[in-house]
């Protein structure tokens, strides 16, 4: 089985020449990420140990919109890493220029937008991000979106831009919701299945359960998502630097799906890697 992690963050230490955005360290602690740097070399070693063929790097929000370290990782290991790049969502001219560059960069597989922090939460509905959707559709740039509270709005965007592939992060679950409290958010996301250009990451799941691994109490919500969206539109991922803080190994995050959750081999083929590769036009190596 070809395994692709749909979300990892890598980053360097904060320095005067590489400052983080204000308040970033507090947000890292709040969201359960480790504070120490996570290099692509360390990430690659964990991937090799677990049998992960590829990973998509989502440059972390605490480093701002820079993607230089992600590009370094891809240049060193082009067969193992791809990038879902950040852009300055509130700067249309700068963002549009970056999008056009990204469309020509083989390492950039798409972008990732966020609408969950105080600074960007309303950008989807106040016009700030309106410039992005038609241009991304024109340039055929798949877009990961973290926007738990804007499901209906995402559905309308998907309907207006049918050529734009929208990939929803973490089943659309609101941060710090756990156990049965995730059911509302999962249902909201699963109900978007009527839009064929919407996809979902079934990612970072152990962080949404207070029960011991393998977190069987939330399996029914993952099953609901896969049943409604279909396995070709659901993508496994870890957000590994958050899960390491829960005492989990990379291997366990894979085995949660392959050994403990009740999926068929045919479903797992798409969920664990083939689906995301097809959506991103990232051919699987023979």
């Amino acid at each position: 089985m070809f395994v692709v992690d749909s979300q990892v963050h890598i980053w360097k230490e904060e320095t005067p020449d590489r400052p983080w955005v204000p308040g970033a360290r507090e947000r890292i602690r709040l969201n359960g990420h480790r504070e120490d740097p996570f290099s692509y070399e360390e990430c690659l070693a964990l991937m090799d140990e677990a049998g992960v063929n590829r990973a998509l790097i989502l440059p972390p929000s605490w480093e701002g919109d820079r993607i230089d370290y992600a590009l370094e990782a891809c240049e060193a290991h082009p067969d193992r890493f791809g990038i879902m790049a950040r852009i300055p969502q509130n700067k249309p001219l700068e963002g549009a220029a970056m999008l056009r560059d990204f469309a020509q960069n083989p390492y950039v597989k798409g972008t990732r937008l966020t609408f969950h922090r105080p600074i960007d939460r309303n950008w989807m509905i106040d016009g700030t991000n309106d410039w992005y959707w038609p241009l991304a559709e024109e340039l055929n740039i798949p877009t990961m979106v973290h926007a738990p509270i804007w499901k209906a709005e995402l559905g309308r965007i998907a309907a207006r831009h049918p050529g734009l592939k929208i990939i929803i992060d973490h089943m659309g679950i609101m941060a710090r919701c756990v156990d049965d409290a995730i059911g509302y958010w999962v249902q909201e996301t699963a109900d978007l299945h009527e839009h064929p250009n919407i996809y979902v990451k079934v990612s970072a799941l152990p962080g949404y359960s207070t029960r011991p691994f393998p977190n069987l109490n939330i399996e029914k919500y993952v099953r609901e998502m896969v049943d409604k969206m279909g396995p070709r539109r659901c993508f496994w991922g870890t957000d590994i630097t958050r899960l390491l803080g829960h005492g989990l190994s990379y291997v366990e995050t894979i085995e949660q799906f392959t050994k403990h959750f009740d999926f068929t081999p045919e479903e797992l083929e798409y969920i664990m890697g083939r689906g995301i590769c097809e959506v991103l036009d990232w051919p699987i190596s023979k």
Side-chain angles (χ1 to χ4, degrees):
M1 186 166 58
F2 198 84
V3 179
V4 181
D5 192 336
S6 64
Q7 177 161 331
V8 301
H9 298 306
I10 60 171
W11 67 93
K12 292 184 176 183
E13 183 56 87
E14 181 180 24
T15 65
D17 294 332
R18 196 180 185 87
W20 290 0
V21 300
R25 200 166 293 277
E26 290 74 18
R27 288 193 63 81
I28 289 175
R29 297 190 189 108
L30 185 65
N31 291 323
H33 283 286
R34 74 185 218 180
E35 290 186 58
D36 293 335
F38 187 62
S39 68
Y40 65 80
E41 292 93 347
E42 182 179 358
C43 184
L44 192 63
L46 291 173
M47 290 166 59
D48 287 342
E49 179 184 352
V52 176
N53 298 89
R54 291 175 177 165
L56 284 164
I57 299 170
L58 279 61
S61 60
W62 48 91
E63 286 202 314
D65 295 321
R66 65 190 308 159
I67 68 166
D68 55 318
Y69 191 49
L71 286 170
E72 180 184 324
C74 290
E75 288 166 357
H77 302 280
D79 56 334
R80 306 297 298 279
F81 292 117
I83 305 169
M84 301 301 289
R86 297 188 65 85
I87 60 165
Q89 294 170 225
N90 61 336
K91 299 177 181 178
L93 292 179
E94 182 180 343
M98 291 173 68
L99 273 188
R100 295 186 187 282
D101 286 343
F102 291 159
Q104 306 301 316
N105 190 320
Y107 301 136
V108 176
K109 307 304 178 183
T111 62
R112 196 239 188 164
L113 309 183
T114 56
F115 302 93
H116 67 291
R117 301 174 297 169
I119 190 175
D120 58 30
R121 187 168 294 139
N122 290 326
W123 287 356
M124 188 184 293
I125 63 168
D126 67 6
T128 301
N129 222 81
D130 287 356
W131 67 271
Y132 175 85
W133 314 110
L135 182 57
E137 181 181 32
E138 174 191 334
L139 297 173
N140 192 29
I141 295 179
T143 303
M144 289 183 177
V145 178
H146 190 26
I149 63 175
W150 304 126
K151 304 290 173 45
E153 290 76 11
L154 273 178
R156 288 193 284 271
I157 290 167
R160 287 197 301 269
H161 304 284
L164 175 63
K165 298 172 182 175
I166 299 173
I167 305 167
I168 297 176
D169 284 357
H170 309 326
M171 297 204 297
I173 300 170
M174 176 66 80
R176 291 175 288 286
C177 281
V178 295
D179 302 328
D180 287 333
I182 74 174
Y184 168 82
W185 304 97
V186 170
Q187 182 180 349
E188 268 199 334
T189 305
D191 285 346
L192 295 174
H193 68 87
E194 63 189 44
H195 303 285
N197 55 326
I198 286 184
Y199 307 80
V200 177
K201 288 156 60 179
V202 287
S203 49
L205 293 187
Y208 297 112
S209 172
T210 62
R211 301 285 181 83
F213 179 83
N215 319 118
L216 293 179
N217 67 312
I218 63 171
E219 179 185 7
K220 61 185 177 182
Y221 299 114
V222 186
R223 183 77 259 178
E224 176 184 356
M225 187 66 69
V226 173
D227 283 346
K228 285 192 175 181
M229 283 284 174
R232 292 170 181 255
R233 294 166 63 188
C234 294
F235 312 135
W236 170 83
T238 64
D239 205 7
I240 190 64
T241 46
R242 210 153 35 114
L243 300 189
L244 291 174
H246 289 260
L248 296 177
S249 70
Y250 219 145
V251 172
E252 286 175 314
T253 66
I254 295 173
E255 291 182 344
Q256 183 178 54
F257 277 77
T258 61
K259 290 188 176 182
H260 301 289
F261 287 179
D262 187 19
F263 290 112
T264 68
E266 292 77 17
E267 289 174 322
L268 287 172
E269 178 185 1
Y270 282 95
I271 293 169
M272 299 304 295
R274 182 174 175 180
I276 189 72
C277 288
E278 289 187 353
V279 168
L280 300 181
D281 297 321
W282 195 6
I284 292 175
S285 305
K286 299 297 183 181

